[in-house]
Amino acid sequence: MPGIDLNYFIRQANKLTEKIEQRKKELAEETVEANAGDGRVTVVANCVQEIKSIKIDKSLVDPNDLGMLEDLVTAGVNAALASSREKMQRELGKISGGVKIPGIT
C-alpha cells in the first residue's frame, strides 16, 4: 500500500513500549493497602503484585484457632493483589489509550 510508512509505526510502538516499561518501574515503588477482619489484618503490596508487608493485630493470634488467622491473611493478601493489578491496569491503560497490549498491559 503506497503512503504507509511501516518504520513510523514501528517507532511509535517502540516509544509506547518504552513509556509502559518506565511506568511499570514507577509502579514498583507505589503501594496499595488492603484490610481483612475489620482491619485487624493489613496487607501492603506494590503495584507489580509484590507483597511488601503484612500486619496482624495480636488479638487474632490464638493458637487454638490458627485457621481463622490463616483465612484472614489469605483474604488480605488476595485483596491487596487484586487492588495492585487493578491500579497497574488502570495506569498502563492511560498510556496505551485503553488498548490492551498482550504481554505488556
Side-chain angles (χ1 to χ4, degrees), residues 28 31 43-46 50-54:
T31 59
V43 179
V44 176
N46 67 15
E50 297 171 337
I51 301 301
K52 300 310 273 183
S53 69
I54 299 174

Side-chain angles (χ1 to χ4, degrees), residues 9-68:
F9 289 110
I10 292 171
R11 284 191 307 273
Q12 292 303 103
N14 287 337
K15 285 181 187 178
L16 179 60
T17 300
E18 287 174 20
K19 285 181 182 178
I20 287 172
E21 290 305 317
Q22 177 59 38
R23 187 63 182 123
K24 279 184 176 181
K25 287 178 186 174
E26 295 166 359
L27 286 167
E29 302 301 318
E30 296 180 29
T31 59
V32 295
E33 183 176 295
N35 297 295
D38 295 324
R40 295 179 294 169
V41 173
T42 302
V43 179
V44 176
N46 67 15
C47 293
V48 292
Q49 291 80 58
E50 297 171 337
I51 301 301
K52 300 310 273 183
S53 69
I54 299 174
K55 292 187 173 69
I56 301 169
D57 185 291
K58 64 182 177 180
S59 69
L60 287 177
V61 181
D62 178 355
N64 298 315
D65 193 5
L66 288 178
M68 179 183 70

Side-chain angles (χ1 to χ4, degrees), residues 73-87:
V73 169
T74 300
V77 167
N78 286 333
L81 292 176
S83 182
S84 169
R85 278 190 300 274
E86 193 176 284
K87 183 172 182 177

